Structure formats: structure tokens, C-alpha cells
Amino acid sequence: SFLRPTFVEMMEELETNVYLLHRGWALDASNQIQAFLSRNERAIANAVDILNQNPDTVNEVVARLMKENQPFEAVSILDLEAREVFKNHRFLLITKADLRDFSSDELLDFIKEGKVYRGPVLISGVSEPLITIAVPLRENNRFLAIVVDINLKFLSDVVRNVPRGTGAQAYVADKDGYVIAHPNS
């Protein structure tokens, strides 16, 4: 005999399929974000390796980082007292007065422990999300760390490309629930 599914069974299956489809889109977006961050952290780690071998190449290393990594908005080098001694910004002219002292910043705790610091997502003056990543240099280096501000406007492209049904929205939120990327920036 032929059994026909009930209306309730069909609706449950449909809801499950819709859930799995949406979950797949979310995982795809998450994977794109992870790949973006991993790629940029690898570029910083490569620069750290070069500076650990030859600290005298600091100007060339920073220039290369900025040239080869479009999302890098600013790259700084910290001295052993956690003060910026060198900074390059993609859009701004940096003077000595613009150099920061990180000696009381939370990133210093990570750097002193030899760990990579990944800051919270902040919104720049032009309303774009930024994240700061700091990577320590070897202890016997004359510099302490490389600090990079990475522009995350790429996230808006990710959420814009997530397929959505009528009235649906895709967005990225930080761990505190603040929206950091939305199709309508």
C-alpha cells in the first residue's frame, strides 16, 4: 500500500530543508571570513619572520605589507617600550605626533606572553569596520611587535552575496551582538 505523508510531515521536512539551506549559507560566509583573516595573519607572520632575521629591513617590510595587502589600513612597529617608532597609513600622512604609546594597552599583555593579539572590531572615522592585530617579534629583536589595522569592509561584500528570500537579511555581528557588517552599510 502507498502511504502519503501528512501535511504536518511535509511542513516539518520543508522547515528542515530551509534550515539546512540557511545554515549552509551561514557556514559559507563564515568560511570566507575565516579565510580572509587567516590570509592576512599569515602575511603579518611572514613579515615577523623577515624582521626577526633582519630588523634593519623594517622600512621595506612595512612598505611591502602595505603594497601586497590591500585591506591593511595601517602598519606600525613598536619599540621595546611599546611605543610606535614607525607607522605607515594607507590614506593619512603620519607625523611623530601621530605615533601612539601602547604601554598601557591590553595588546601589550598578549605581546609580552608571546601571543598574537586580535582586538575587537571598531568602526573607523569613515564608518568602516577595523580590527587590530598585533604579532610579537622575537625577544632578542630591537622591536617588540608589528601592529596592523585591517579594514573589514570586505565583510559587507560577503553579506551582500548571501542569497536571501523576501524580507530576509544577512549580517555579521561581533561576540557582543553589535552589527559590524550589513548589506546596507
Side-chain angles (χ1 to χ4, degrees):
S1 78
F2 177 72
L3 297 175
R4 292 175 42 166
T6 66
F7 178 74
V8 171
E9 290 170 333
M10 288 187 328
M11 289 304 295
E12 287 173 353
E13 184 176 343
L14 183 59
E15 286 175 6
T16 299
N17 290 338
V18 167
Y19 165 78
L20 292 173
L21 182 63
H22 288 176
R23 186 172 184 274
W25 291 337
L27 286 172
D28 181 53
S30 175
N31 289 338
Q32 288 180 57
I33 294 167
Q34 280 300 100
F36 172 84
L37 291 173
S38 294
R39 186 171 50 252
N40 287 299
E41 283 191 29
R42 250 189 331 274
I44 300 168
N46 290 339
V48 164
D49 288 343
I50 293 168
L51 285 177
N52 279 333
Q53 293 172 30
N54 187 357
D56 295 328
T57 60
V58 69
N59 290 337
E60 294 84 7
V61 168
V62 170
R64 185 173 168 189
L65 273 175
M66 295 294 287
K67 181 180 178 187
E68 294 177 359
N69 300 282
Q70 200 62 33
F72 288 13
E73 200 155 293
V75 177
S76 303
I77 303 296
L78 302 186
D79 68 10
L80 297 176
E81 283 79 43
R83 294 182 307 244
E84 287 179 323
V85 290
F86 185 83
K87 184 171 186 174
N88 193 339
H89 195 283
R90 187 164 303 285
F91 307 110
L92 303 174
L93 177 63
I94 302 297
T95 66
K96 283 192 178 218
D98 297 316
L99 300 178
R100 287 184 50 198
D101 181 348
F102 285 89
S103 61
S104 60
D105 197 289
E106 74 171 329
L107 76 76
L108 185 58
D109 297 331
F110 283 81
I111 297 302
K112 283 184 175 179
E113 293 176 17
K115 296 179 182 175
V116 173
Y117 169 80
R118 294 169 188 90
V121 175
L122 303 173
I123 303 301
S124 74
V126 292
S127 299
E128 292 180 339
L130 296 174
I131 187 171
T132 299
I133 296 178
V135 180
L137 292 161
R138 196 171 42 217
E139 280 188 36
N140 62 352
N141 199 306
R142 69 176 191 244
F143 300 114
L144 184 66
I146 295 179
V147 179
V148 180
D149 292 333
I150 300 176
N151 188 311
L152 300 174
K153 65 183 172 187
F154 146 85
L155 297 177
S156 294
D157 295 335
V158 171
V159 294
R160 252 187 232 107
N161 293 325
V162 172
R164 302 183 304 274
T166 308
Q169 292 186 23
Y171 58 90
V172 177
D174 68 8
K175 64 182 170 82
D176 297 320
Y178 291 105
V179 175
I180 57 174
H182 191 281
N184 182 0
S185 57

